[in-house]
Amino acid sequence: QVQLVESGGGLVQAGGSLRLSCAAEGRTFSSYALGWFRQAPGKEREFVARISSSGGATYYANSVKGRFTISRDNAKNTVYLQMNSLKTEETAVYYCAADSRRGSLSVIAVGTYDYWGQGTQVTVAS
């Protein structure tokens, strides 16, 4: 198992940048693919990005391609989400999540992920 704690959220102006971090506890961290999701008030949790266990493969929601970058440092048990050119509609609680399975059928589905952090608030102001 793994425990995840997000940090780095806050208030940013539209067009600005933030880097989120997700620190993990657990020796199995390096074997898990990791994802970032977000959930705005009144909306379902939405897939943002995913990175493979090795860090060699990434996958992004179409809405964030070219602006967001997911990365990981397995030596530090940490996954990051660099968010650039933020938009007001991207205000949400951002969650990191771990997928213990291999060959997951749907990388964007909430149900694919076994472990979740508590989230960090990102507010993008105009």
Side-chain angles (χ1 to χ4, degrees):
Q1 65 176 10
V2 61
Q3 294 181 324
L4 307 170
V5 180
E6 302 94 335
S7 63
L11 176 65
V12 64
Q13 295 297 116
S17 299
L18 282 175
R19 176 177 285 180
L20 306 182
S21 298
C22 177
E25 293 183 356
R27 292 185 296 175
T28 56
F29 173 85
S30 62
S31 69
Y32 294 161
L34 290 141
W36 284 96
F37 287 73
R38 63 191 178 193
Q39 188 166 24
K43 294 186 177 181
E44 294 184 350
R45 195 163 296 188
E46 175 190 33
F47 171 79
V48 176
R50 175 184 170 99
I51 189 166
S52 63
S53 59
S54 67
T58 57
Y59 187 86
Y60 297 93
N62 288 337
S63 61
V64 307
K65 286 180 180 177
R67 297 186 298 115
F68 289 14
T69 303
I70 187 170
S71 61
R72 68 191 295 163
D73 186 340
N74 286 346
K76 296 181 178 179
N77 277 12
T78 303
V79 62
Y80 306 94
L81 184 68
Q82 177 67 46
M83 305 185 292
N84 297 328
S85 301
L86 281 160
K87 305 173 181 179
T88 56
E89 58 264 37
E90 293 174 317
T91 292
V93 176
Y94 283 69
Y95 299 89
C96 64
D99 175 13
S100 66
R101 301 183 301 177
R102 294 187 175 183
S104 296
L105 185 60
S106 177
V107 301
I108 69 171
V110 169
T112 294
Y113 299 83
D114 307 289
Y115 306 102
W116 294 83
Q118 295 302 303
T120 185
Q121 176 70 47
V122 172
T123 302
V124 185
S126 62

